[in-house]
Amino acid sequence: MVRHFLDFEGYTAEEILRIIDMAINFKKKGYPDNKPLSGKSVALIFEKPSTRTRVSFQVAIARLGGESVPLSVSEMQVSRGEPLSDTAHALSAYVDAIVARVCKHETLSEMARYSSVPIINALSDRFHPCQGLADMMTIKELKGSIQGVKVAYIGDGNNVCNSLIQACSLLGARISVASPKEYQPPKNVITQAKEWMRMSGSSIELTENPEEAVRDADVVYTDVFVSMGQEEEREKRLKVFYPRYKVTEKLMSLAKPDAIFMHCLPAHREEEVEASVIDGKKSMVWQQAANRLHTEAALLLYLLQDGRKF
Ligand code: CP
Ligand code: NVA
């Protein structure tokens, strides 16, 4: 049966760790000479803007010897009303995987239903699992392991937060989320995370208080207050988030002395994060962004070759 990657559900901790280890290996030793994706094509569809995800996927596919087929929604029949599910159905006859960034997560579920090749979530309103993979790789590189590490997420309980919760709960990292009451992560994500945590031995804490969340944290993570597609809510959101949920040097000083700062990017300096934090010594955002290339290469290889050769 074809396996999709819409979120971390359906994957074991062992599988995700294998993908991360493969990515670390690519980074350290370079990409295989035998071009394992030679003869394979991957379609890239973006309903929303992207810099990192688009380029890292395209380069990862090239490094593995495959071919990417970048598609602009405005030039496809989707722009004239053809459902993405029909598009996926047709495309799966030509390509070996479809990477898609969509407005609504349901679009991905529909695509997955009709596609005979893997659908990879390149960000939806609910999840950003490819980001989660690179985040876990970065934590493993910098902290030596993921198990037992404490991650504090400050801000909007959004797509990036949901994937971070899933990844931490699957791989055994403790996570503490500080969000305003009305912007806490969704209940179904929390319920599922708690189930996974019973297996991995990790824990989740939800609070409205950023100072409480960062206590003893090894990692302090934030994302924008206004995600793509929420531009009309900007004023309302800023009133709720700003300045209480901004990651400042003062907030960082309440975490462990060797705590690192992470952000999926793009960032808004002096909105969700102080410029001196994101541009400071504790910030690992460039390593985190760089790791997108390696985790996406590893994910593609895992899904397209069933991890057999690695
Ligand atoms: N973090 C991330 O997904 O960045 P892009 O929106 O630039 O792809
Ligand atoms: N939460 C952000 C993440 C961007 C990578 C958004 O959805 O716009």
Side-chain angles (χ1 to χ4, degrees), residues 22-34:
M22 209 194 293
I24 291 176
N25 218 31
F26 287 154
K27 187 173 174 179
K28 276 193 191 149
K29 300 188 179 149
Y31 284 77
D33 290 330
N34 66 343

Side-chain angles (χ1 to χ4, degrees), residues 2 32 37 47 74 148 158 160 174 230 264 282 285 295 298 302:
V2 57
L37 290 192
E47 282 191 326
S74 64
N158 62 13
V160 168
R174 293 180 292 149
Q230 297 172 339
C264 57
K282 294 185 170 186
V285 300
T295 44
Y302 191 78

Side-chain angles (χ1 to χ4, degrees), residues 46 49-54 101 122-123 128 131 228 264-266 292:
F46 286 82
S50 166
T51 298
R52 280 145 286 265
T53 310
R54 185 197 307 273
R101 171 167 288 194
L123 179 145
H128 195 4
Q131 181 67 52
M228 290 182 276
C264 57
L265 305 177
R292 295 289 305 274

Side-chain angles (χ1 to χ4, degrees), residues 2-32:
V2 57
R3 287 188 86 186
H4 304 289
F5 187 60
L6 305 192
D7 66 287
F8 285 95
E9 185 165 5
Y11 286 81
T12 63
E14 290 68 31
E15 285 181 297
I16 298 301
L17 289 171
R18 209 158 129 205
I19 292 169
I20 290 171
D21 286 343
M22 209 194 293
I24 291 176
N25 218 31
F26 287 154
K27 187 173 174 179
K28 276 193 191 149
K29 300 188 179 149
Y31 284 77

Side-chain angles (χ1 to χ4, degrees), residues 1-11 88 92 97-98 108-121 129 299 303:
M1 205 181 74
V2 57
R3 287 188 86 186
H4 304 289
F5 187 60
L6 305 192
D7 66 287
F8 285 95
E9 185 165 5
Y11 286 81
S92 60
I98 301 172
L108 287 175
S109 318
E110 274 287 289
M111 289 170 78
R113 195 165 308 140
Y114 294 102
S115 170
S116 55
V117 300
I119 302 288
I120 297 174
N121 181 359
L299 174 69
L303 290 176

Side-chain angles (χ1 to χ4, degrees), residues 11-293:
Y11 286 81
T12 63
E14 290 68 31
E15 285 181 297
I16 298 301
L17 289 171
R18 209 158 129 205
I19 292 169
I20 290 171
D21 286 343
M22 209 194 293
I24 291 176
N25 218 31
F26 287 154
K27 187 173 174 179
K28 276 193 191 149
K29 300 188 179 149
Y31 284 77
D33 290 330
N34 66 343
K35 305 280 178 211
L37 290 192
S38 164
K40 306 251 188 219
S41 304
V42 180
L44 304 170
I45 305 176
F46 286 82
E47 282 191 326
K48 289 175 172 182
S50 166
T51 298
R52 280 145 286 265
T53 310
R54 185 197 307 273
V55 178
S56 56
F57 263 110
Q58 242 179 293
V59 174
I61 294 160
R63 294 250 175 118
L64 295 170
E67 178 199 27
S68 53
V69 184
L71 299 164
S72 155
V73 166
S74 64
E75 288 169 10
M76 293 164 73
Q77 296 289 8
V78 177
S79 66
R80 296 178 55 250
E82 181 175 30
L84 263 176
S85 49
D86 283 358
T87 308
H89 200 158
L91 287 183
S92 60
Y94 318 136
V95 299
D96 299 281
I98 301 172
V99 173
R101 171 167 288 194
V102 297
C103 297
K104 289 195 184 319
H105 191 80
E106 290 68 32
T107 305
L108 287 175
S109 318
E110 274 287 289
M111 289 170 78
R113 195 165 308 140
Y114 294 102
S115 170
S116 55
V117 300
I119 302 288
I120 297 174
N121 181 359
L123 179 145
S124 70
D125 54 341
R126 294 235 298 273
F127 293 106
H128 195 4
C130 294
Q131 181 67 52
L133 277 181
D135 296 343
M136 292 300 114
M137 171 178 171
T138 310
I139 292 174
K140 186 162 185 193
E141 284 180 323
L142 293 164
K143 297 289 167 189
S145 95
I146 297 165
Q147 185 88 33
V149 162
K150 179 177 172 183
V151 178
Y153 177 93
I154 314 298
D156 189 15
N158 62 13
N159 45 8
V160 168
C161 176
N162 292 342
S163 287
L164 195 64
I165 292 174
Q166 282 198 331
C168 286
S169 53
L170 194 61
L171 302 186
R174 293 180 292 149
I175 182 158
S176 187
V177 179
S179 313
K181 203 173 180 172
E182 59 274 41
Y183 294 99
Q184 300 255 330
K187 284 206 171 65
N188 57 344
V189 171
I190 304 301
T191 309
Q192 184 189 52
K194 285 184 175 164
E195 255 172 56
W196 294 357
M197 282 171 169
R198 272 204 292 273
M199 307 279 290
S200 70
S202 59
S203 61
I204 183 162
E205 183 187 45
L206 299 169
T207 172
E208 289 177 50
N209 185 342
E211 287 78 19
E212 195 181 307
V214 300
R215 200 177 303 136
D216 287 329
D218 298 286
V219 177
V220 179
Y221 197 123
T222 192
D223 184 17
V224 290
F225 296 149
V226 186
S227 281
M228 290 182 276
Q230 297 172 339
E231 289 76 10
E232 283 180 6
E233 298 173 28
R234 183 172 170 79
E235 214 175 308
K236 178 179 136 202
R237 283 175 164 267
L238 284 186
K239 267 191 201 139
V240 179
F241 285 100
Y242 190 84
R244 188 159 183 226
Y245 293 89
K246 178 177 180 179
V247 176
T248 58
E249 288 199 55
K250 193 164 166 229
L251 191 67
M252 287 299 296
S253 75
L254 302 177
K256 280 193 183 156
D258 63 348
I260 56 170
F261 172 75
M262 294 177 72
H263 191 310
C264 57
L265 305 177
H268 295 80
R269 285 172 177 76
E270 299 309 341
E271 207 164 283
E272 74 274 8
V273 57
E274 218 163 51
S276 58
V277 171
I278 193 167
D279 298 322
K281 282 207 296 278
K282 294 185 170 186
S283 175
M284 296 299 146
V285 300
W286 303 115
Q287 181 166 338
Q288 191 185 351
N291 284 342
R292 295 289 305 274
L293 173 67

